[in-house]
């Protein structure tokens, strides 16, 4: 059971937060799988400013969402952990940092300013909970057979389509349903399609055909969203491999397996990390492992949490971009 | 110039608020019209609870948004005041109360619970700033020539399509561009189309044809939104007069003139108000006028502002309703 005590955790500094961490243990009755993990978040700096960071911790202290959260929850049932970076209907482009120690979530910066994704009519912000699978890496040296493009040097992205708006930094257990293959400025950028196992529809949705049945129009809208979302920023329309068709769950699972193996090679120093921080606090025997105490020191050296920066009204502008 | 000191005003009680009221005077350079009004809001009770109220005040004290805010700002330029009830992309169905003294904004209640409008995919909440024109009344005894239906006993509704997300209770100056004629459960329910005169596009948008040019797809989406928005609540699809076509600004202005005359008859006791509160603090010689001091007493007797109630996650559910 993942419990985020956001109301308290999001308000204070680390010292306060560590005393509020969650130790809940509970089983999901719907899936019969017992999750005995407990993650919470630590906000540092001022939201919507360049110094803002969201660190993730387990019951012992700080961890890296990229390296310390296990990828697999139940391989038979296709259930994986997912780190939420951008809650549905928000615009701030928050992402796991690759190069910073402990890989906190921060807002992407563009021309020196925190980046907000444009609203393209009729969409508002991201139209799903958006995030990444831990312990995965899209190797930029690897040429994908299917797409003919190389990886984008990030963990693999996930769109979570359940009804609930998740929280930034939340760790969800999701079922993988399929994938679409965005080609973003020439790089393969898989977008896995997933659903929170706690969603009331989760048991009825197992593959992309079920998505179209229960969420009619969402797959089409998702492809459109990725095609146009950078156009207001002056970028060209994005392309999709496989003609924009969603690949089934079986295909998606093979991709997940591949990017997990790339991640393993990365943290085991079998490939050059080229600046990616592989620091972790839980992988036994790993060359990049540090102590919880050292990890706490890392966070304590960052600016304490302060009030969010005012977001300019222009971020709310609706752009009328239509595909031909 | 309307200044809302929301950051401060929305946090405290009335005694605090009255000392923070705005007295700004400024001219809009784009229109050349000088607005020397200053409105602010007073929040009382707990948001998303039945006791929540938003009162409006001018520089002297409390007013009724329905009766004391002048309808017309500039009749030649088709500019009117508009009271914002629901900011874009929000779901809480907030509305001017007809029967309560000073006509504060409160959340509509359904089966004893504050009402949230369902999200119908691909829309999120209300897709415009939604509100009403002051000093108007859709007389339920009047049979409309065009629609063949009677009025809905409320001030006339407005959808404001500018880029900025307005604040609840804000008084905007808007240009009327046209209207669509919703038939909501058998009653004529005009939805005026308007744009904030401060929007960068305001000078280029004068009629419904300009809306389609600068906001392609928005009129169609608006009609669809009203047709389907009650379906998740078990209501039938709503209908539109004139085949859903938007009527031009000239037509809309005649409707505004008519509902303004109905309002005049109401506050001048020429028709039976049937429970509608006509209390005001500024209409000289009006039988319903009370003093500012009495109006302050009215607000002081309501519960002080307190933290918002937790909104259930189900409010965020996306409903996949498609028209045949």
């Amino acid at each position: 059971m993942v419990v985020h005590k956001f109301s308290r955790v999001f308000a204070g500094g680390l010292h306060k937060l560590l005393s509020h961490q969650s130790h809940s243990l509970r089983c999901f009755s719907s899936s019969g799988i017992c999750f005995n993990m407990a993650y919470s978040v630590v906000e540092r700096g001022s939201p919507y400013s360049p110094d803002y960071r969201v660190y993730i911790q387990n019951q012992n202290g700080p961890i890296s969402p990229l390296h310390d959260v296990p990828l697999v929850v139940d391989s038979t049932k296709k259930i994986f952990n997912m780190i939420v970076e951008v809650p549905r209907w928000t615009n701030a482009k928050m992402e796991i940092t690759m190069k910073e120690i402990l890989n906190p979530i921060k807002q992407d910066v563009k021309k020196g300013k925190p980046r907000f994704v444009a609203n393209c009519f009729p969409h508002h912000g991201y139209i799903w909970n958006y995030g990444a699978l831990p312990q995965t890496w899209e190797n930029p040296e690897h040429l994908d057979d299917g797409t003919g493009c190389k990886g984008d040097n990030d963990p693999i992205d996930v769109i979570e389509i359940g009804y609930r708006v998740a929280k930034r930094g939340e760790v969800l257990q999701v079922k993988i349903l399929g994938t679409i293959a965005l080609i973003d400025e020439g790089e393969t950028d898989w977008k896995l399609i997933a659903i929170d196992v706690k969603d009331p529809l989760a048991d009825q949705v197992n593959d992309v055909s079920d998505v179209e049945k229960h969420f009619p129009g969402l797959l089409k809208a998702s492809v459109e969203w990725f095609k146009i979302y950078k156009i207001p920023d002056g970028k060209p329309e994005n392309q999709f491999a496989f003609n924009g068709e969603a690949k089934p769950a079986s295909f998606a699972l093979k991709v997940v397996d591949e990017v997990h193996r790339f991640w393993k090679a990365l943290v085991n120093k079998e490939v050059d990390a080229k600046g990616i921080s592989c620091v972790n606090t839980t992988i036994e025997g790993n060359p990049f492992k540090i102590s919880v105490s050292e990890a706490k020191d890392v966070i304590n050296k960052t600016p304490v949490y302060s009030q969010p920066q005012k977001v300019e009204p222009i971020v709310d502008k609706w752009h009328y971009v239509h595909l031909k």
Side-chain angles (χ1 to χ4, degrees), chain A:
Chain A
M1 168 63 180
V2 175
V3 175
H4 290 255
K5 306 216 164 193
F6 282 89
S7 55
R8 285 181 292 172
V9 170
F10 263 99
L14 179 65
H15 58 289
K16 208 173 168 186
L17 291 158
L18 290 176
S19 66
H20 282 308
Q21 62 197 12
S22 159
H23 295 273
S24 283
L25 302 174
R26 214 175 70 187
C27 281
F28 291 115
S29 55
S30 65
S31 65
I33 301 161
C34 195
F35 300 98
N36 62 354
M37 298 162 292
Y39 299 101
S40 55
V41 301
V42 180
E43 271 189 314
R44 301 286 290 181
S46 169
Y48 314 124
S49 87
D51 73 3
Y52 179 65
R53 297 290 183 277
V54 178
Y55 289 91
I56 313 293
Q57 54 185 13
N58 67 10
Q59 45 273 73
N60 299 316
I63 59 164
S64 158
L66 182 56
H67 306 301
D68 289 305
V69 176
L71 169 64
V72 181
V73 175
D74 185 312
S75 59
T76 317
K77 298 192 174 178
K78 308 170 193 170
I79 298 172
F80 299 84
N81 280 312
M82 165 189 176
I83 317 292
V84 175
E85 299 169 300
V86 185
R88 190 167 86 224
W89 296 326
T90 66
N91 299 75
K93 194 176 187 307
M94 299 283 177
E95 53 190 15
I96 290 170
T97 54
M98 299 303 280
K99 299 193 172 180
E100 279 184 35
I101 185 165
L102 292 175
N103 314 102
I105 293 169
K106 71 167 187 177
Q107 192 162 357
D108 187 21
V109 171
K110 194 179 126 187
K111 294 179 187 168
K113 290 174 76 176
R115 182 175 165 200
F116 292 87
V117 165
N119 302 300
C120 293
F121 179 85
H123 310 303
H124 175 209
Y126 285 67
I127 60 173
W128 348 256
N129 296 311
Y130 186 76
L133 292 191
Q135 300 188 333
T136 63
W137 179 48
E138 296 204 61
N139 186 345
E141 302 296 325
H142 173 77
L143 194 72
D144 188 275
D145 283 347
T147 67
C149 293
K150 291 182 175 179
D152 76 345
N153 206 24
D154 279 326
I156 194 164
D157 296 320
V158 191
I159 64 179
E160 191 281 314
I161 63 174
Y163 85 88
R164 194 174 66 85
V165 173
K167 299 274 195 291
R168 188 183 300 151
E170 194 167 357
V171 182
L172 301 179
Q173 284 73 56
V174 299
K175 190 197 281 189
I176 302 290
L177 309 169
T179 188
I180 47 180
L182 176 65
I183 308 301
D184 191 345
E185 300 180 32
E187 293 171 337
T188 307
D189 194 4
W190 296 105
K191 307 294 177 188
L192 297 169
I193 303 152
I195 189 165
D196 186 335
V197 297
K198 286 192 272 186
D199 191 273
L201 285 175
D203 287 345
Q204 298 170 59
V205 186
N206 295 297
D207 222 316
V208 286
S209 54
D210 302 321
V211 177
E212 186 53 26
K213 183 179 166 193
H214 291 280
F215 304 80
L218 181 58
L219 286 175
K220 185 169 176 283
S222 300
V223 168
E224 183 197 75
W225 193 94
F226 283 114
K227 280 185 176 173
I228 66 180
Y229 85 115
K230 288 183 180 173
I231 293 177
D233 298 328
K235 297 275 177 75
E237 181 185 323
N238 273 327
Q239 302 302 312
F240 271 84
F242 317 119
N243 222 0
E245 292 287 312
K247 290 285 185 181
S250 55
F251 182 101
L253 292 172
K254 282 182 195 152
V255 176
V256 171
D257 185 59
E258 183 176 67
V259 293
H260 184 46
R261 281 187 282 110
F262 292 147
W263 170 81
K264 273 186 186 156
L266 184 72
V267 292
N268 289 327
K269 287 194 167 175
E270 290 159 20
V271 291
D272 182 358
K274 289 182 180 163
I276 295 176
S277 172
C278 294
V279 166
N280 65 81
T281 63
T282 66
I283 313 174
E284 290 308 323
N286 183 270
F288 299 104
K289 185 169 183 277
I290 64 171
S291 70
V292 169
S293 158
E294 284 172 290
K296 286 180 183 175
D297 283 346
V298 167
I299 303 183
N300 280 336
K301 281 177 185 149
T302 62
V304 296
Y305 177 81
S306 60
Q307 284 304 304
Q309 298 298 297
K310 202 171 175 296
V311 174
E312 295 296 326
I314 198 69
V315 166
D316 290 325
K317 185 177 161 70
W318 228 340
H319 297 265
Y320 290 78
V321 178
H322 287 272
L323 291 173
K324 276 162 204 108

